[in-house]
Amino acid sequence: MTAHMRQFGTLLGLILIIVFFTVNLPDTFLTARNLINVSQQISMLAVVAFTMTIVMVMNDFDLSVGSMASLSGIVAAVLFSMGYPIWVGVGGALLAGLVGGLFNGFLVAVIGILPFVATLGTLTIFSGTAFLISDGRTIFGRDIPAGFSGFARSGIPLDTIGLEGLKLPYLTITGVIVLLLVWIILEQMNFGRRLYAIGGNIEATRLSGIKVKRLRMGAFALTGIGAAIAGLMYASRVASANPTQGAGLMLDAIAAVFLGMTMGKEGEPRVLATLVGVLILGILDNGLTQMKVDSYIREILIGAIVIAAVATSALGRRR
Amino acid sequence: MPSTLSFNGLRKSYGGAPALSDVSLTLAPGRVHALVGENGAGKSTLIKLIAGVVPADTMTVTKDGAPITLNSAGDALAAGFRFIHQELNIVPQLSVAENILLGQPGATRYGLFVDWKALSQKANSALAELGIDDIDVRVHAGGLGVGDQMLVKIASALVRDEGAEAPGLYVFDEPTAALSDTESEKLFDVIERLKKDGAAILYVSHRLGEIMQICDDVTVLRNGAHVITTPIADTSRDEIVHQMTGRELMDGYPPRIQSIGANPVCAAKNISSAKLDQINFTLRDGEILGVAGLSDCGQTEILRLFLGLERALAGSLTFNTSAAPRNPVQAWQRGVAYVPRERRSEGLMMTLGVRQNTLLPHYRGLFANRRAEIEKTRGLETDVKLKAVGPDQVVHELSGGNQQKVVFAKAIAKNPRLLLLDEPTRGVDVGAKFEIYSLIRHLSEGGCSVIMSSSDLPELIGMCDRILILHAGRQYDIIEPQGMQPGDLLATFYDHHKTSELP
């Protein structure tokens, strides 16, 4: 298998999936309404996956993003229920993401715990904290300000470009902004290029006079903030906060980055490739739901596809 | 039954560059045959060919006149060849007995449970064959000293099926590199025993002292070619060194034209650290100081003092009239550049491009400036004579010599004040070596001070203004090597008399 086929195999897979659903769902799949819907559905996963890419560039990863997303939603909702304004709730949630991410980075970079163990530990800590401060209940109803839950339901009207009655959701726009920021951080800033150097060879990077510990902590902090943003988006979308609602995000986000890594020249994560991974997962989910495929079978299919893509890439790499 | 092994017409080229050209070798039972040569002379290629792990371009092998094939590691094993490498591939978490019998079908009870008693017995008898009775086979192998670990590995090479023939050839590849003197002596006893049992032994080492002591014959390689094979009794250490280095290579070092500057750039006063003792020197601008001694006796640590990686416990260390950098970040910022010993694990990000590798320590500001970087990389590629397709070629696609040039490009990109070189030409071909020497000379003439550690003696003599000799971390002497022979320099590594003769 040539390097090109391997690199573009995953992109080809995405196109095939789109063609498949277009043929099988001729009336509902390839419509503006459905595509906008998909973009909104995947926006939370996208934000987590994009920021997860930042740590995975360094060969690290973060298992705690799902419970951080739950915690961030709870922090915002608890602050709302205490009567604080929206900006305080949002700020508090983002602060939780920053502090939690820095704590992960501290454990990994300064103490020297393997990311798997460190973030498995914080996964439980963040989740437990979410239960503790919410008393294990779902916070909803009058506690959630209308301005906050309204964000997820509104968007920029698209009447001017001929799509009557449709709006480009703010959630989608948030996802695009995060994508752009992460792309700038990783591809255009020296910060990101140093992260790629750490991923290439951490010892050589340290010996080249790079502040490896500080950079790793910074990267984990960004991933934590990304998880917190996703948690806020989720809470806004369902107008409530529940201490488990972010739980599913972590595995899908890692799967999306892995799917994207199959497209890297040297198997390295790239944020635009992560986008392809997110689209594959999101479109599969949307299309299979519309085709009334059982949700358990959906899970089996998605797992099989991730394994198949990464296996093909691994086999192609062997020479 | 002891047998004579002949290896004839060994040839091997890597990408057109000959690593070994028509070398022949005959190994007789009961004799220890030394294989010597400088780095890159073809010793390791030769070992890889006879181990069957690298296919030869041409090679015929006969055992008592009958041809045998060596196309795989399995063939070499079946032919009774055993290899003991300098890196210890033991599994530290397992017991000594398990390590010795690793790769053997284990003794079991009912085909299911490990039969620990039988395992211990087998391991003990393997050790007994070597005359070793002071290693407990039940302890963790990782807890043993390096010397004992080496013996465990030899014991595991000895293990064979019931009734199978004893191995006919043992190849030792720099076995004493990590051993102390007493540990080495223990190893020599074992080799003596193997020899008495009628095995042929091929012994590869840089240490001429031990070769004179334990070997019967010696073959010298230079630049992939056979120089001479002779009984040890008919030669001398100086002669071997002369044959290894050759005359013509001595002319291959660019001479100093400018004289050394007057300003001290860095200085060590009575420095002691975990591995160093009583280090004293002052380095002026443009001066090249060599650091030499037997392997691993503090060379790397002296270099790392100025990176802040080796902590001085006593004494004072200055760089540019103030205290030396406390960590690599400060070091690079203040104009110290480092070429580490292991370029793959310490020097390069193998999956990234030339540009990202060379400019990593030199990124400034928030955003990358692609165009300026490409221009800068192109300039550096010219400076170090790098042969790459472009500034973004991935480093693992380059040859060893070109990879080393990338490490150099990274070090010289910002005109360093002090260049620290650890084995700067290790695993580099002769042509690239000369280009690296010219580069070092050019930098030194431009006022950059250099500290370089090397196990390549002619290189130290050819390049250095002074050489600091280390004996197990302690500064023994600083010498001016002009006009010296490699043998004279080597002698200073072993020289214990001079200290006692001094008043």
Side-chain angles (χ1 to χ4, degrees), chain A residues 184 188-190 193-194 196-197 200-201 203-211 265-266, chain B residues 309 328-329 332 344-346 348-349 351 361 363-368 373 394 396 410:
Chain A
I184 291 171
Q188 301 299 317
M189 290 179 72
N190 285 327
R193 287 141 43 88
R194 292 188 181 109
Y196 276 106
N201 185 340
E203 179 64 7
T205 307
R206 187 176 77 98
L207 292 177
S208 299
I210 304 301
K211 297 167 181 163
K265 187 169 171 233
E266 299 289 330
Chain B
L309 289 172
V329 180
W332 283 88
R344 296 181 71 93
S345 62
E346 302 171 332
L348 294 170
M349 290 91 67
T351 55
Y363 291 149
R364 291 293 172 268
L366 269 183
F367 290 94
E373 283 182 7
V394 175
H396 70 66
K410 169 166 84 174

Side-chain angles (χ1 to χ4, degrees), chain A residues 26-251:
Chain A
D27 302 325
T28 53
F29 181 72
L30 210 60
T31 61
R33 181 174 299 276
N34 188 50
L35 293 184
I36 285 173
N37 190 22
V38 170
S39 76
Q40 174 159 346
Q41 280 171 355
I42 65 173
S43 58
M44 278 87 50
L45 170 62
V47 167
V48 176
F50 296 154
T51 49
M52 177 73 87
T53 310
I54 300 173
V55 283
M56 288 184 70
V57 157
M58 308 182 296
N59 288 335
D60 292 329
F61 52 89
D62 185 347
L63 299 180
S64 71
V65 285
S67 59
M68 174 49 77
S70 307
L71 177 62
S72 119
I74 292 289
V75 167
V78 167
L79 288 171
F80 294 150
S81 66
M82 289 160 75
Y84 286 104
I86 292 179
W87 70 267
V88 174
V90 170
L94 293 178
L95 188 69
L98 173 71
V99 171
L102 280 174
F103 184 59
N104 279 330
F106 175 78
L107 293 178
V108 171
V110 181
I111 308 286
I113 308 177
L114 287 177
F116 183 88
V117 182
T119 60
L120 188 66
T122 53
L123 179 158
T124 328
I125 293 174
F126 297 158
S127 171
T129 312
F131 275 99
L132 188 72
I133 62 179
S134 66
D135 253 346
R137 287 169 316 181
T138 302
I139 302 167
F140 64 102
R142 267 183 308 167
D143 285 338
I144 308 293
F148 180 73
S149 49
F151 177 80
R153 276 181 226 128
S154 15
I156 299 171
L158 294 173
D159 302 302
T160 46
I161 58 164
L163 297 168
E164 295 296 324
L166 290 178
K167 286 180 289 191
L168 186 61
Y170 285 140
L171 289 184
T172 305
I173 295 171
T174 310
V176 172
I177 290 172
V178 172
L179 173 66
L180 204 67
L181 288 176
V182 174
W183 181 78
I184 291 171
I185 288 170
L186 286 183
E187 307 285 336
Q188 301 299 317
M189 290 179 72
N190 285 327
F191 174 78
R193 287 141 43 88
R194 292 188 181 109
L195 298 189
Y196 276 106
I198 292 174
N201 185 340
I202 189 166
E203 179 64 7
T205 307
R206 187 176 77 98
L207 292 177
S208 299
I210 304 301
K211 297 167 181 163
V212 170
K213 286 179 190 171
R214 205 180 289 186
L215 286 168
R216 271 176 116 185
M217 282 186 65
F220 272 98
L222 290 174
T223 305
I225 292 173
I229 293 173
L232 286 169
M233 290 162 77
Y234 210 111
S236 165
R237 182 146 175 255
V238 295
S240 63
N242 168 309
T244 61
Q245 68 192 14
L249 285 170
M250 177 264 286
L251 286 176

